[in-house]
Every structure is written in C-alpha cells, then in structure tokens.
Amino acid sequence: MARGTIFERYGGFATAGKIVMAFYDRILDSDITGPYFDDVDMPRLMDHQTKFVASVMGGPASYTDEMLEQLHRRLNVTNEAFDEMARLFRETLEEFAMAEEDVETLAREINSRRDVIVSAD
Amino acid sequence: MSADPVPADPDVGSALNLDAFNRALIESVGVGIAIVECDGLKVLFQNKRFEQLFGSPANDITLDQLMQVPDLSGLEPGAVETCEISVKQKRRPVTLAAHFSVHEDDGRHVYMVEMHNITKVKELEYMIESYAKMVEKNERALRREKERAERLLLNIMPRTVYEELKTFGVTTPQRFESASVLMLDFVDFTEMAVSKDPLALISELNDIFTGFDRIVEQFGCERLKTIGDAYVAVSGIPEATPDHAQNIARTALLFRRFIRQRNATREEKWRCRIGIASGPMIGSIVGIQKYVYDIFGPAMDLAARMEQHAEPMEILLPEATADHIRGEFRLEPVAAREVKGFGTLDLFKLVGGDEELGVTLI
C-alpha cells in the first residue's frame, strides 16, 4: 500500500501546479469544454482549478460537494462536457507519467462528483 | 586544389548578411515587435508574432485601433513605458506586457513596441496566490485546533508540565519539598434541590468553579482537578514558592467569601467544607492514553481528612500549616482530634485575614 496521498507522493504543489496548467490548456482548447470558460476571468478560473486538482489529488484543499454544486449550477454542464473533462484530466495525468492505479483512483474521484457537476442533459 | 571563393567586396557582403540576419531574428523572436509613428500612431512595421497577437491588420492601421495605448507624451528617448494589456485569442485570455520606447529614424520619431506574452506567469501567480490562501486557511484552522488542544491539556496539567511534555514527549515526576493543598467539598450536595436538574446543576457548578479558577489564578495557585462537586487546588506546585501556605489560605478565604456573596443573591444556597494541609509532595502525569496530572503525598490525604472534619463553611487546617501562616491570618484552635492515619492532631480554624487583604473578587 503506497504511503501518503497522491498529492504528496507526486511532489506536492510543484507537480500539482504543472498538472493544473496542462489541464487548463486542454480544457480551454477543447471545443466541448472550452465554451464553458468563455466568460470566466482567469484569476477565478485558476483559483478553481488549483483547488479542484489539489483536492482530487488529496492535497490541502477540500471542495465539498455543496461548493462544487454551487460553482457549476449556472454553467449547465452536460454529461458530454463532463466526460470530455474527465478524459482530458486522465490524459493530463498520463502525460505526467502517473502510475495506472493512481490515474484510476483519480478518475474515480472525478466520476464520483458527476452528479454535483452535471446539471443539464 | 581550388581556392575558396572570395567576395568582391567583403564589407558589402557582411552588411547584407547582417541585415538579413537581423530581419530573420526579429521575425523569429517570441516577442511581438512593431515600429509605430509617434505622430498618428501609424504602424510602420510589425513582426509575425505581433501579427499573431493582434490578428493581421490591414494597411494603414494605427496602434490605438489594436489596443489601449497609454499616455506616451512624456516619454523621453532612452526611457521605457510599460503597461499590461489583455487580449483574447479564440477563447484564451492572453496577458501581454507592452514596452514602449522612443527612437529616431531618418529624422522622424517612432515608438518601438515590444509585446511579451506573460500569460503563463500571470496564471502561475494566480495559482500560487490561490494555493497560498488555501495553505494559510489550513494553517489557521490547525493553529486553532492546537490552541484548543492546548487549552484542554492546560486544564488538566500545569503549564510547565505541559511544556515539558510538548518538548520531550514525556515528563519526569517532580518532588516538591514544601507545598500546600486545598480541598473543597459541598455540604449535602446530593440533597440540594438543584441536583435534581442535571443541566441546572452543571450550570451552577460551572459558574462556581469558574469563579474559583479566577481566585486560584489571582494567588498564583493551580487548580489540580475537580471530582464531582469537589475542587482541589495546590500552591507551590509546579513552581516552588515560600508563600504557598499563605496563598492557599487566601484562596480558601476568598472561596468562602465568593460562596457567601453568591448565596446572598441566589435562591440556591451552597455550603462548603474546606481542608488545607502542607508538606512534601510528588507531582506527575499519570497514565499514557489519558493524561492526568496528579500529586501524591501525605499532605494530600491530610487535606482530605481536614475537609471531612470541617463544619459547613469552615476552613480547617493542621498545626503544621498553621505554623506557616500564624501572625498573618486569624486562626482559632479547635480541640485536638483523632485523624485517621495521622493520629491525634491539633487543628485550627482559619477565620479571617481576607478583610485586610484588599483583594477584589472576580
């Protein structure tokens, strides 16, 4: 059994920061997820991304389901957009040479939040 | 063997190469560069990077059509004016640091405009700020939790013992050559009307013990523990003091005065017995999972016996303790009594001294 959280094992904030930047690039470039961020200002988006990524990696941020629901309520996130986001997150993690089992763990973490993030058909 | 070709005019050749090289350099550099007329802000030249940042402008475009230009009227040759501008490329917000400088070209003044893409730097700044706030928040929560744990531990052990436990992880039992202990118990506690209502009872006891804690603190004593309705305080532990008996006597007198004053205004009338004793004691943390700081020694037992022998609202003490405070406090001898485990002892009632203390309650 690996010791510590994924956040700690992969180098803490230094790695999480790089993952945030790479993930951010991917979701903005995607035609499915990108439009959701058209009107979001950068500081707010980076704040959200940093906390979100650190949170799913078991880092110091904790995003409650209630907070996530509140943040995404007005965005009308579809299942398609959620799937795309999850796929891009997985791609990002693979790019950082994360072990398969850790990628799976994080993918599960992301998927467990589907119900609070998706609010449109 | 053939000779290397020699340019007809080496100076001309290198000048041409240098010009081409400069042009290639300006085009390939990752910084957007433009030359702009000072009068009218017409764009005279822009490299490919500049075009990418602002799209491909038509001829005769002016700089103020592309971006918000800062006031450059006071810009001296050699000086640089810098500002930050935001543009959007597709849906991506891009932050640019724009540098303006004035140069002379064939007798006319032009601005050299450099555009550095600092988007990643800004993103990193936002991310670090977000993370730093998060860490600060967690640290504050951790500090609050630590303070709460510290307060709880300080309730059950003296600060010096807590500091020792925190620093070394263990504490060593300490022997105190001379210290005093006070034990207080309430008379007919279980028969009191308030004891039928647990919430009211706890509220009353909490109120009284909080008052006691303040008095104890006032005289540099320590509350050792409360057991049900009993309150135990010590003086001379863990900091040795030659005045331990006086301090505990003052504490006892103020405890009694506090109860009397409280009874005068409340329906519920509390009556206490107080026993005091002095002597050598051992102080130590007992237990590993559940820390309890306790003290041991004959004086502890003797104080308990004194308390049991005391009449309601009486403060009783043995001769050894009376010897410490004689002359400073008003004492009344009571007939010698057989005290279990200690034989026949001459006992004294502490009847006064507090009126002259000039100390205020609470």
Side-chain angles (χ1 to χ4, degrees), chain A residues 24-25 28-29 38 47 60, chain B residues 88 91-92 123 127 130 138:
Chain A
Y24 168 83
D25 279 344
L28 277 189
D29 283 342
D38 277 346
D47 186 45
Chain B
K88 210 153 191 184
R91 66 177 62 97
R92 185 182 296 275
E123 284 171 5
M127 192 162 59
S130 162
N138 288 353

Side-chain angles (χ1 to χ4, degrees), chain A residues 1-116:
Chain A
M1 184 72 185
R3 289 170 62 192
T5 60
I6 290 177
F7 183 85
E8 286 159 3
R9 279 189 280 118
Y10 284 88
F13 179 66
T15 305
K18 287 175 192 154
I19 292 175
V20 170
M21 302 284 261
F23 179 48
Y24 168 83
D25 279 344
R26 278 188 156 87
I27 57 169
L28 277 189
D29 283 342
S30 161
D31 287 334
I32 301 172
T33 51
Y36 286 95
F37 301 97
D38 277 346
D39 298 322
V40 179
D41 65 321
M42 193 156 64
R44 192 159 166 241
L45 183 55
M46 292 315 289
D47 186 45
H48 170 69
Q49 293 277 330
T50 306
K51 285 176 182 162
F52 182 71
V53 171
S55 193
V56 290
M57 287 175 75
S62 64
Y63 255 11
T64 61
D65 284 355
E66 203 180 1
M67 286 155 75
L68 279 175
E69 204 262 328
Q70 204 180 348
L71 275 165
H72 292 91
R73 193 181 296 154
R74 270 167 290 171
L75 294 176
N76 294 322
V77 178
T78 60
N79 272 307
E80 185 198 17
F82 185 88
D83 288 340
E84 174 77 347
M85 185 273 289
R87 188 182 69 78
L88 294 174
F89 189 60
R90 180 185 272 272
E91 247 182 51
T92 311
L93 299 177
E94 281 162 357
E95 182 193 308
F96 280 84
M98 201 173 267
E100 183 56 32
E101 59 174 288
D102 292 329
V103 174
E104 289 306 323
T105 305
L106 296 182
R108 269 200 307 278
E109 285 287 324
I110 293 274
N111 258 312
S112 71
R113 290 161 169 85
R114 179 185 293 269
D115 287 351
V116 289

Side-chain angles (χ1 to χ4, degrees), chain B residues 117-128:
Chain B
N117 188 341
I118 56 166
T119 312
K120 287 287 165 205
V121 176
K122 297 302 277 185
E123 284 171 5
L124 202 61
E125 272 177 18
Y126 297 139
M127 192 162 59
I128 289 171

Side-chain angles (χ1 to χ4, degrees), chain B residues 45-301:
Chain B
F45 165 81
Q46 56 185 336
N47 72 349
K48 281 201 184 81
R49 184 80 192 110
F50 196 91
E51 269 184 36
Q52 284 165 1
L53 290 170
F54 293 98
S56 292
N59 287 338
D60 295 334
I61 196 91
T62 57
L63 190 64
D64 51 357
Q65 287 175 285
L66 299 175
M67 58 177 278
Q68 176 103 34
V69 182
D71 179 15
L72 299 169
S73 54
L75 191 60
E76 297 285 332
V80 177
E81 174 76 27
T82 301
C83 71
E84 244 175 53
I85 61 167
S86 294
V87 292
K88 210 153 191 184
Q89 289 191 318
K90 281 190 182 175
R91 66 177 62 97
R92 185 182 296 275
V94 175
T95 309
L96 302 168
H99 300 273
F100 301 86
S101 53
V102 183
H103 300 269
E104 198 177 324
D105 181 37
D106 287 341
R108 61 179 174 173
H109 284 93
V110 292
Y111 292 124
M112 161 99 124
V113 188
E114 296 166 47
M115 292 288 175
H116 298 262
N117 188 341
I118 56 166
T119 312
K120 287 287 165 205
V121 176
K122 297 302 277 185
E123 284 171 5
L124 202 61
E125 272 177 18
Y126 297 139
M127 192 162 59
I128 289 171
E129 193 184 325
S130 162
Y131 188 79
K133 276 185 189 156
M134 202 158 75
V135 171
E136 272 171 26
K137 189 178 152 209
N138 288 353
E139 268 185 2
R140 273 198 303 275
L142 206 63
R143 206 164 42 237
R144 270 200 302 276
E145 192 54 35
K146 196 171 157 245
E147 282 166 6
R148 203 178 69 87
E150 191 174 276
R151 271 200 305 278
L152 284 175
L153 282 169
L154 286 174
N155 269 340
I156 57 168
M157 67 181 77
R159 180 169 281 280
T160 49
V161 176
Y162 166 71
E163 296 291 346
E164 191 185 344
L165 184 69
K166 198 168 68 169
T167 311
F168 302 107
V170 290
T171 59
T172 45
Q174 271 182 292
R175 183 182 160 85
F176 302 94
E177 289 309 324
S178 189
S180 290
V181 58
L182 172 157
M183 287 203 192
L184 176 146
D185 207 356
F186 288 104
V187 181
D188 298 332
F189 175 69
T190 48
E191 282 80 46
M192 288 173 71
V194 73
S195 67
K196 308 277 186 300
D197 179 354
L199 277 180
L201 177 73
I202 296 300
S203 165
E204 287 262 307
L205 269 184
N206 195 36
D207 185 48
I208 293 169
F209 286 172
T210 303
F212 285 179
D213 286 347
R214 288 182 188 154
I215 294 167
V216 160
E217 203 183 346
Q218 200 174 340
F219 294 113
C221 303
E222 289 270 353
R223 180 232 280 212
L224 187 62
K225 57 186 167 186
T226 59
I227 312 157
D229 64 320
Y231 189 101
V232 185
V234 287
S235 181
I237 292 175
E239 299 296 328
T241 166
D243 301 334
H244 57 83
Q246 285 84 346
N247 287 336
I248 215 83
R250 288 179 188 120
T251 302
L253 287 167
L254 279 197
F255 274 8
R256 188 169 62 182
R257 193 162 88 181
F258 174 76
I259 294 291
R260 280 181 183 150
Q261 286 180 344
R262 197 174 185 281
N263 286 346
T265 56
R266 309 273 182 123
E267 195 180 326
E268 200 69 51
K269 309 296 179 199
W270 292 83
R271 290 183 306 156
C272 62
R273 304 174 202 272
I274 301 176
I276 293 176
S278 309
M281 290 175 206
I282 305 283
S284 178
I285 284 184
V286 187
I288 292 174
Q289 292 300 325
K290 292 183 179 175
Y291 295 120
V292 176
Y293 182 81
D294 213 342
I295 55 173
F296 309 90
M300 286 296 288
D301 299 329

